[in-house]
Structures are given as structure tokens and as C-alpha cells.
Amino acid sequence: MRTVSSSDGTEMCSEVYFTYAHEGNYHAFEVEMEDSSKLTVSSNHLLYVGSSFENRKATMAKNVMVGDTLVSSVGSAKEITSIKDINTELVNVLTMEGSVELESGVVISTNSYHETLYSALFYPIKLMYLWIGAPAVKKAEPYLTNVGDVLTPYVSMVADSL
């Protein structure tokens, strides 16, 4: 998956090590940018606010505002022109690098709540992928999904206290 390197900001590809499709519809935000491109994320998903990847600030979607700019790998940052509450299906896509570049060029985190805490929650899955491979992660998916569902409220609680 296309993204930007967290070490030097260059464009690169990053492997997807875990994908999880949530069952049912959830509250989310549809964020529209000045070029009419849109992205849809959960309220706790981290968006990179700032003028460049180097000065980005990981901000939960529920805290971004119209007028904020989102980091883009193509040209300048993209200004948010509208934010709508919607209900939709959600999918978690976790990459080795921790970010993804959307078709519009906007670069967002693959994490929710807090980058370090969320990454720590899924670190055992990342190690399983590295050490054993994708088939092992796929086979363990029902267990991994339950663990994520149980621990996510605690990550949220800790992230809110920071």
C-alpha cells in the first residue's frame, strides 16, 4: 500500500499486515477537502493535520475542524471544507509503516486514539506476520479480532487521559 516513510517523509510502499472489517454500521465522519476529494473514517481515527508530513500532528477525526489542513504527498496540504456525520461500514487496515496514502494523495495514520498505544495493541499481530507470515495472521483472525474488541476501550481511556 502506498504511504510516506515515517523516517524521512519519502513516498514508499508498505505491507498490510492485518485487515479487519467491522460488522454493521458505525458512526463515522466524511471529510471533504478543497479539491472535492473525500475520506471516511471513524471518529477516533487519526488524521495528520499540518502543512507537511514532517510537521504533522496526529489528531482524532472527531477533533479536526473545517479549515484544518491534512498532509498530502502531492503538492500542498489539503484544506478541509466540510465534515459530515454518517453511519457506514468501517475497515481497519494496518500497515508496517503505520500510515497510508489515499487516492487523493492525503496521508493518514492507520491507527486510532493514539499512535503509540494503538501500535502497541497490535504489535503482537505485526510480529506474527513478520515471523510466521500472512497465513498465520489469517488463521488467528477470529481470536485477534476478539482481543482487539476487548482492549480497544482501555486504549481509548488511556489515550483520553493523555
Side-chain angles (χ1 to χ4, degrees):
M1 185 160 276
R2 289 200 50 83
T3 191
V4 176
S5 169
S6 58
S7 61
D8 62 11
T10 59
E11 290 188 49
M12 63 176 291
C13 289
S14 183
E15 290 182 64
V16 173
Y17 70 88
F18 188 62
T19 303
Y20 170 63
H22 297 269
E23 292 184 22
N25 288 337
Y26 290 85
H27 175 256
F29 291 114
E30 180 184 80
V31 179
E32 185 171 358
M33 275 72 66
E34 60 190 312
D35 64 356
S36 299
S37 62
K38 297 177 183 177
L39 64 92
T40 302
V41 291
S42 71
S43 60
N44 297 311
H45 196 95
L46 297 173
L47 302 178
Y48 292 138
V49 175
S51 59
S52 68
F53 194 75
E54 293 75 25
N55 75 358
R56 72 194 182 278
K57 180 180 180 200
T59 305
M60 282 193 272
K62 66 183 177 184
N63 296 326
V64 299
M65 300 170 24
V66 170
D68 284 346
T69 55
L70 299 181
V71 171
S72 174
S73 65
V74 290
S76 60
K78 297 193 179 195
E79 185 175 336
I80 297 172
T81 56
S82 77
I83 301 171
K84 295 179 185 169
D85 287 303
I86 63 170
N87 284 308
T88 189
E89 295 176 340
L90 295 172
V91 177
N92 280 34
V93 177
L94 300 177
T95 64
M96 298 302 279
E97 192 63 27
S99 61
V100 294
E101 178 185 344
L102 305 177
E103 189 176 330
S104 66
V106 170
V107 180
I108 65 173
S109 176
T110 58
N111 299 309
S112 295
Y113 303 104
H114 186 278
E115 286 197 296
T116 304
L117 294 173
Y118 203 77
S119 293
L121 175 65
F122 288 96
Y123 191 66
I125 300 170
K126 192 175 191 177
L127 289 177
M128 182 185 298
Y129 177 86
L130 287 170
W131 293 344
I132 305 171
V137 173
K138 188 69 178 164
K139 189 167 186 157
E141 190 172 308
Y143 168 74
L144 300 173
T145 299
N146 290 335
V147 169
D149 289 342
V150 169
L151 294 178
T152 297
Y154 297 103
V155 171
S156 172
M157 181 180 64
V158 171
D160 288 343
S161 70
L162 298 176

Coordinates of all heavy atoms in Angstrom, one line a residue, residues 37-112:
S37 N -12.2 15.9 -3.0 CA -11.9 14.5 -2.6 C -12.5 14.4 -1.2 O -12.6 15.3 -0.4 CB -10.4 14.2 -2.6 OG -9.7 15.1 -1.8
K38 N -12.8 13.1 -0.9 CA -13.4 12.8 0.4 C -12.7 11.6 1.0 O -12.2 10.7 0.3 CB -14.9 12.5 0.3 CG -15.7 13.6 -0.2 CD -17.2 13.2 -0.4 CE -18.0 14.4 -1.0 NZ -19.4 14.0 -1.3
L39 N -12.8 11.5 2.4 CA -12.3 10.3 3.1 C -13.3 10.1 4.2 O -14.0 11.0 4.7 CB -10.9 10.5 3.6 CG -10.6 11.6 4.7 CD1 -10.7 11.0 6.1 CD2 -9.2 12.0 4.5
T40 N -13.5 8.8 4.5 CA -14.4 8.4 5.6 C -13.6 7.6 6.6 O -13.0 6.7 6.3 CB -15.5 7.6 5.0 OG1 -16.2 8.3 4.0 CG2 -16.5 7.2 6.1
V41 N -13.7 8.1 7.9 CA -13.0 7.5 9.0 C -13.9 7.5 10.2 O -14.8 8.3 10.4 CB -11.7 8.2 9.3 CG1 -10.7 8.0 8.2 CG2 -11.9 9.6 9.6
S42 N -13.6 6.6 11.2 CA -14.2 6.6 12.5 C -13.9 7.9 13.2 O -12.9 8.5 12.9 CB -13.8 5.4 13.3 OG -12.5 5.5 13.7
S43 N -14.6 8.2 14.2 CA -14.4 9.4 15.0 C -13.1 9.4 15.7 O -12.5 10.5 16.0 CB -15.5 9.7 16.0 OG -15.6 8.7 16.9
N44 N -12.5 8.2 16.0 CA -11.3 8.1 16.7 C -10.1 7.8 15.8 O -8.9 7.7 16.3 CB -11.4 7.0 17.8 CG -12.4 7.3 18.8 OD1 -12.4 8.4 19.4 ND2 -13.3 6.4 19.1
H45 N -10.3 7.8 14.5 CA -9.2 7.5 13.6 C -8.3 8.7 13.6 O -8.7 9.9 13.6 CB -9.7 7.2 12.2 CG -8.7 6.6 11.4 ND1 -8.6 5.2 11.2 CD2 -7.7 7.1 10.6 CE1 -7.6 4.9 10.4 NE2 -7.0 6.1 10.1
L46 N -7.0 8.5 13.5 CA -6.0 9.6 13.5 C -5.8 10.1 12.1 O -5.4 9.4 11.2 CB -4.7 9.1 14.1 CG -4.8 8.7 15.6 CD1 -3.5 8.1 16.1 CD2 -5.2 9.9 16.4
L47 N -5.9 11.4 11.9 CA -5.6 12.1 10.7 C -4.4 13.0 10.9 O -4.2 13.5 12.0 CB -6.8 13.0 10.3 CG -8.2 12.3 10.1 CD1 -9.2 13.3 9.7 CD2 -8.0 11.2 9.0
Y48 N -3.6 13.2 9.9 CA -2.4 14.0 10.0 C -2.7 15.4 9.6 O -2.9 15.7 8.5 CB -1.3 13.5 9.2 CG -0.7 12.1 9.6 CD1 -0.4 11.2 8.7 CD2 -0.5 11.9 11.0 CE1 0.1 9.9 9.2 CE2 0.0 10.7 11.4 CZ 0.3 9.7 10.5 OH 0.9 8.5 10.9
V49 N -2.8 16.3 10.6 CA -3.1 17.7 10.4 C -1.8 18.4 10.4 O -0.9 18.2 11.2 CB -4.0 18.3 11.6 CG1 -4.2 19.8 11.4 CG2 -5.3 17.5 11.6
G50 N -1.6 19.3 9.4 CA -0.4 20.1 9.2 C -0.1 20.4 7.8 O -0.8 19.9 6.9
S51 N 1.0 21.1 7.5 CA 1.3 21.5 6.2 C 2.2 20.5 5.5 O 2.3 20.6 4.3 CB 1.9 22.9 6.2 OG 3.1 22.9 7.0
S52 N 2.9 19.6 6.2 CA 3.7 18.6 5.6 C 3.8 17.4 6.6 O 3.5 17.5 7.7 CB 5.1 19.2 5.4 OG 5.8 19.4 6.7
F53 N 4.4 16.3 6.0 CA 4.5 15.1 6.8 C 5.5 15.4 8.0 O 5.3 14.8 9.1 CB 5.0 14.0 5.9 CG 4.8 12.6 6.6 CD1 3.6 12.0 6.7 CD2 5.9 11.9 7.1 CE1 3.4 10.8 7.3 CE2 5.8 10.7 7.7 CZ 4.5 10.1 7.8
E54 N 6.5 16.2 7.8 CA 7.5 16.4 8.8 C 6.9 17.2 10.0 O 7.3 17.0 11.1 CB 8.6 17.2 8.2 CG 9.5 16.4 7.2 CD 8.8 16.3 5.9 OE1 8.0 17.2 5.5 OE2 9.1 15.3 5.2
N55 N 5.9 18.0 9.8 CA 5.3 18.8 10.9 C 3.9 18.3 11.3 O 3.1 19.1 11.8 CB 5.4 20.3 10.7 CG 4.3 20.8 9.7 OD1 3.6 20.0 9.1 ND2 4.3 22.1 9.4
R56 N 3.5 17.1 10.9 CA 2.2 16.6 11.1 C 1.9 16.4 12.6 O 2.8 16.2 13.4 CB 2.0 15.2 10.4 CG 2.8 14.1 11.1 CD 2.9 12.9 10.3 NE 3.6 11.8 10.9 CZ 4.9 11.7 11.0 NH1 5.7 12.6 10.5 NH2 5.5 10.6 11.6
K57 N 0.6 16.5 12.9 CA 0.1 16.2 14.2 C -1.0 15.2 14.1 O -2.0 15.5 13.4 CB -0.4 17.5 14.9 CG -0.9 17.2 16.3 CD -1.4 18.5 17.0 CE -1.9 18.1 18.4 NZ -2.8 19.1 19.0
A58 N -0.8 14.1 14.7 CA -1.9 13.0 14.7 C -3.0 13.5 15.5 O -2.9 13.7 16.7 CB -1.3 11.7 15.2
T59 N -4.2 13.7 14.9 CA -5.4 14.2 15.5 C -6.6 13.3 15.3 O -6.8 12.9 14.1 CB -5.7 15.6 15.0 OG1 -4.5 16.4 15.1 CG2 -6.8 16.3 15.7
M60 N -7.3 13.0 16.3 CA -8.5 12.1 16.1 C -9.5 12.9 15.2 O -9.7 14.1 15.4 CB -9.2 11.8 17.5 CG -8.4 10.7 18.2 SD -9.4 10.0 19.5 CE -8.9 11.1 20.9
A61 N -10.2 12.2 14.4 CA -11.1 12.8 13.4 C -12.1 13.6 14.1 O -12.5 14.7 13.6 CB -11.7 11.7 12.6
K62 N -12.6 13.2 15.3 CA -13.6 14.0 16.0 C -13.1 15.4 16.4 O -13.9 16.2 16.8 CB -14.1 13.2 17.2 CG -13.1 13.0 18.3 CD -13.7 12.1 19.4 CE -12.7 11.8 20.5 NZ -13.3 10.9 21.5
N63 N -11.8 15.6 16.4 CA -11.2 16.9 16.8 C -10.7 17.7 15.6 O -10.2 18.8 15.9 CB -10.0 16.6 17.8 CG -10.5 16.0 19.0 OD1 -11.6 16.2 19.5 ND2 -9.7 15.1 19.6
V64 N -10.8 17.3 14.4 CA -10.4 18.1 13.3 C -11.6 19.1 13.0 O -12.8 18.8 13.3 CB -10.0 17.3 12.0 CG1 -8.8 16.5 12.3 CG2 -11.2 16.5 11.5
M65 N -11.3 20.2 12.3 CA -12.3 21.2 12.1 C -12.1 21.7 10.6 O -11.1 21.6 10.0 CB -12.1 22.4 13.0 CG -12.2 22.0 14.5 SD -11.8 23.3 15.7 CE -11.9 24.8 14.9
V66 N -13.3 22.2 10.1 CA -13.2 22.9 8.8 C -12.2 24.0 8.9 O -12.1 24.7 9.9 CB -14.6 23.4 8.4 CG1 -14.5 24.3 7.2 CG2 -15.6 22.3 8.3
G67 N -11.3 24.0 7.9 CA -10.2 25.0 7.8 C -8.9 24.3 8.2 O -7.8 24.9 7.8
D68 N -8.9 23.2 8.9 CA -7.6 22.5 9.1 C -7.1 22.0 7.8 O -7.9 21.7 6.9 CB -7.9 21.3 10.1 CG -8.0 21.7 11.5 OD1 -7.7 22.8 11.9 OD2 -8.5 20.8 12.3
T69 N -5.8 21.7 7.7 CA -5.2 21.1 6.5 C -4.7 19.7 6.8 O -4.1 19.5 7.9 CB -4.1 22.0 6.0 OG1 -3.1 22.2 7.0 CG2 -4.6 23.3 5.5
L70 N -4.9 18.8 5.9 CA -4.4 17.5 6.0 C -3.2 17.3 5.2 O -3.1 17.8 4.0 CB -5.5 16.5 5.6 CG -6.8 16.5 6.4 CD1 -7.8 15.4 5.9 CD2 -6.5 16.3 7.9
V71 N -2.2 16.5 5.7 CA -1.0 16.3 5.0 C -1.3 15.5 3.7 O -2.1 14.6 3.6 CB 0.0 15.4 5.9 CG1 1.2 15.0 5.1 CG2 0.3 16.2 7.1
S72 N -0.6 16.0 2.6 CA -0.7 15.4 1.3 C 0.6 15.1 0.7 O 1.6 15.8 1.0 CB -1.5 16.3 0.4 OG -1.5 15.8 -0.9
S73 N 0.7 14.0 0.0 CA 2.0 13.6 -0.6 C 2.1 14.3 -2.0 O 3.2 14.3 -2.6 CB 2.1 12.1 -0.8 OG 1.1 11.7 -1.7
V74 N 1.0 14.9 -2.5 CA 1.0 15.5 -3.8 C 0.8 17.0 -3.6 O -0.3 17.4 -3.3 CB 0.0 14.9 -4.7 CG1 0.4 13.5 -5.1 CG2 -1.4 14.8 -4.1
G75 N 1.8 17.8 -3.8 CA 1.7 19.2 -3.6 C 1.5 19.7 -2.2 O 2.0 19.1 -1.3
S76 N 0.7 20.7 -2.0 CA 0.5 21.2 -0.7 C -0.6 20.5 0.1 O -1.4 19.7 -0.5 CB 0.1 22.7 -0.8 OG -1.1 22.9 -1.5
A77 N -0.7 20.8 1.4 CA -1.7 20.2 2.3 C -3.1 20.5 1.7 O -3.3 21.5 1.1 CB -1.5 20.6 3.7
K78 N -4.0 19.7 2.1 CA -5.4 19.9 1.6 C -6.3 20.4 2.7 O -6.4 19.8 3.7 CB -6.0 18.6 1.0 CG -5.1 18.2 -0.2 CD -5.8 17.1 -1.0 CE -4.9 16.7 -2.2 NZ -5.7 15.9 -3.1
E79 N -6.9 21.5 2.4 CA -7.8 22.1 3.4 C -9.1 21.4 3.5 O -9.7 21.1 2.5 CB -8.0 23.6 3.1 CG -8.9 24.3 4.2 CD -9.0 25.8 3.9 OE1 -8.2 26.4 3.2 OE2 -10.0 26.4 4.4
I80 N -9.6 21.2 4.7 CA -10.9 20.6 5.0 C -12.0 21.6 4.7 O -11.9 22.7 5.3 CB -11.0 20.0 6.4 CG1 -10.0 18.9 6.6 CG2 -12.4 19.5 6.7 CD1 -9.9 18.4 8.0
T81 N -13.0 21.3 3.9 CA -14.1 22.2 3.6 C -15.4 21.8 4.2 O -16.3 22.7 4.4 CB -14.3 22.4 2.1 OG1 -14.5 21.1 1.5 CG2 -13.0 23.1 1.5
S82 N -15.6 20.5 4.5 CA -16.8 20.1 5.2 C -16.5 18.8 6.0 O -15.7 18.0 5.6 CB -18.0 20.0 4.3 OG -17.9 18.8 3.5
I83 N -17.3 18.6 7.0 CA -17.2 17.4 7.8 C -18.7 17.0 8.1 O -19.5 17.8 8.7 CB -16.5 17.6 9.1 CG1 -15.1 18.1 8.9 CG2 -16.5 16.3 10.0 CD1 -14.3 18.5 10.1
K84 N -19.1 15.8 7.7 CA -20.4 15.3 7.9 C -20.4 14.0 8.8 O -19.6 13.2 8.6 CB -21.1 14.9 6.5 CG -21.3 16.1 5.6 CD -21.9 15.6 4.3 CE -21.9 16.8 3.3 NZ -22.3 16.3 2.0
D85 N -21.4 14.0 9.7 CA -21.6 12.7 10.4 C -22.4 11.7 9.6 O -23.4 12.1 8.9 CB -22.5 13.0 11.7 CG -21.8 13.8 12.7 OD1 -20.7 13.3 13.2 OD2 -22.2 14.9 13.1
I86 N -21.9 10.5 9.5 CA -22.5 9.5 8.7 C -22.5 8.2 9.5 O -21.7 8.0 10.5 CB -21.9 9.3 7.3 CG1 -20.4 8.8 7.5 CG2 -22.0 10.5 6.5 CD1 -19.8 8.4 6.1
N87 N -23.2 7.2 9.1 CA -23.1 5.8 9.6 C -22.7 4.9 8.4 O -23.4 5.0 7.3 CB -24.5 5.3 10.2 CG -24.7 5.9 11.5 OD1 -23.8 5.9 12.4 ND2 -25.9 6.6 11.7
T88 N -21.7 4.1 8.6 CA -21.2 3.3 7.5 C -20.4 2.1 8.0 O -20.1 2.1 9.2 CB -20.3 4.2 6.5 OG1 -20.0 3.4 5.4 CG2 -19.0 4.6 7.2
E89 N -20.1 1.2 7.1 CA -19.2 0.1 7.5 C -17.8 0.6 7.6 O -17.4 1.6 6.9 CB -19.3 -1.0 6.4 CG -20.6 -1.6 6.3 CD -20.7 -2.6 5.1 OE1 -19.8 -2.6 4.2 OE2 -21.6 -3.5 5.2
L90 N -17.0 0.1 8.5 CA -15.6 0.5 8.7 C -14.7 -0.7 8.5 O -15.0 -1.8 8.9 CB -15.5 1.1 10.1 CG -16.2 2.4 10.3 CD1 -16.2 2.8 11.8 CD2 -15.7 3.5 9.4
V91 N -13.5 -0.4 8.1 CA -12.5 -1.4 7.9 C -11.2 -0.9 8.5 O -10.8 0.3 8.2 CB -12.3 -1.8 6.4 CG1 -11.1 -2.8 6.2 CG2 -13.5 -2.3 5.8
N92 N -10.5 -1.7 9.3 CA -9.1 -1.3 9.8 C -8.1 -1.9 8.8 O -8.2 -3.1 8.6 CB -8.9 -1.9 11.2 CG -9.5 -1.1 12.3 OD1 -10.6 -0.5 12.1 ND2 -8.9 -1.1 13.4
V93 N -7.2 -1.1 8.3 CA -6.1 -1.6 7.5 C -4.8 -1.2 8.2 O -4.5 0.0 8.3 CB -6.2 -1.0 6.1 CG1 -5.0 -1.5 5.3 CG2 -7.5 -1.4 5.4
L94 N -4.1 -2.2 8.7 CA -2.8 -1.8 9.4 C -1.6 -2.2 8.6 O -1.5 -3.3 8.0 CB -2.8 -2.6 10.8 CG -3.9 -2.4 11.7 CD1 -3.8 -3.3 12.9 CD2 -4.0 -0.9 12.1
T95 N -0.8 -1.2 8.4 CA 0.4 -1.4 7.6 C 1.7 -1.4 8.5 O 1.7 -0.9 9.6 CB 0.6 -0.2 6.6 OG1 0.8 1.0 7.2 CG2 -0.7 -0.1 5.7
M96 N 2.7 -1.9 7.9 CA 4.0 -2.0 8.6 C 4.5 -0.6 9.0 O 5.1 -0.3 10.0 CB 5.1 -2.7 7.8 CG 4.7 -4.2 7.5 SD 4.4 -5.2 9.0 CE 6.1 -5.5 9.4
E97 N 4.3 0.4 8.1 CA 4.8 1.8 8.3 C 3.9 2.6 9.2 O 4.3 3.5 9.8 CB 4.9 2.4 6.9 CG 5.6 3.7 6.9 CD 7.1 3.6 7.4 OE1 7.7 2.6 7.2 OE2 7.6 4.6 7.9
G98 N 2.6 2.2 9.3 CA 1.7 2.9 10.2 C 0.9 4.0 9.6 O 0.2 4.8 10.3
S99 N 1.0 4.1 8.3 CA 0.2 5.2 7.6 C -0.1 4.7 6.2 O 0.4 3.7 5.7 CB 1.0 6.5 7.5 OG 2.2 6.3 6.7
V100 N -1.1 5.3 5.5 CA -1.5 5.0 4.2 C -1.7 6.3 3.4 O -2.1 7.3 3.9 CB -2.8 4.2 4.1 CG1 -2.6 2.8 4.6 CG2 -4.0 4.8 4.7
E101 N -1.4 6.2 2.1 CA -1.7 7.4 1.2 C -3.0 7.0 0.4 O -3.0 6.0 -0.2 CB -0.5 7.5 0.2 CG -0.8 8.6 -0.8 CD 0.4 8.7 -1.8 OE1 1.4 8.2 -1.6 OE2 0.1 9.4 -2.8
L102 N -3.9 7.9 0.5 CA -5.2 7.7 -0.1 C -5.1 8.1 -1.6 O -4.1 8.8 -2.0 CB -6.3 8.5 0.6 CG -6.5 8.2 2.1 CD1 -7.5 9.1 2.7 CD2 -6.7 6.7 2.3
E103 N -6.1 7.7 -2.4 CA -6.0 8.0 -3.8 C -5.9 9.5 -4.1 O -5.2 10.0 -5.0 CB -7.3 7.5 -4.5 CG -7.3 7.6 -6.0 CD -8.6 7.0 -6.6 OE1 -9.2 6.1 -6.0 OE2 -9.0 7.5 -7.6
S104 N -6.4 10.3 -3.2 CA -6.4 11.8 -3.3 C -5.0 12.4 -3.0 O -4.7 13.5 -3.2 CB -7.4 12.5 -2.3 OG -7.0 12.2 -1.0
G105 N -4.1 11.5 -2.4 CA -2.8 12.0 -2.0 C -2.7 12.3 -0.5 O -1.6 12.4 0.0
V106 N -3.8 12.4 0.1 CA -3.8 12.6 1.6 C -3.2 11.4 2.3 O -3.5 10.3 1.9 CB -5.3 12.9 2.1 CG1 -5.3 12.9 3.6 CG2 -5.8 14.2 1.6
V107 N -2.4 11.7 3.3 CA -1.7 10.6 4.0 C -2.3 10.6 5.4 O -2.4 11.7 6.1 CB -0.2 10.9 4.1 CG1 0.5 9.8 5.0 CG2 0.4 11.0 2.8
I108 N -2.8 9.5 5.9 CA -3.4 9.3 7.2 C -2.8 8.2 7.9 O -2.2 7.3 7.4 CB -5.0 9.1 7.1 CG1 -5.3 7.8 6.5 CG2 -5.6 10.3 6.4 CD1 -6.8 7.4 6.5
S109 N -2.9 8.2 9.2 CA -2.4 7.1 10.1 C -3.3 5.9 9.9 O -4.5 6.0 9.5 CB -2.5 7.6 11.6 OG -2.1 6.5 12.4
T110 N -2.8 4.7 10.2 CA -3.6 3.5 10.2 C -4.1 3.2 11.6 O -4.7 2.2 11.9 CB -2.8 2.3 9.7 OG1 -1.6 2.1 10.5 CG2 -2.4 2.5 8.2
N111 N -3.8 4.1 12.5 CA -4.1 4.0 13.9 C -5.3 4.8 14.4 O -5.7 5.8 13.7 CB -2.9 4.3 14.8 CG -1.7 3.4 14.5 OD1 -1.8 2.2 14.5 ND2 -0.6 4.0 14.3
S112 N -5.8 4.4 15.5 CA -6.9 5.2 16.2 C -6.4 5.6 17.6 O -5.5 5.0 18.1 CB -8.2 4.4 16.3 OG -8.7 4.1 15.0

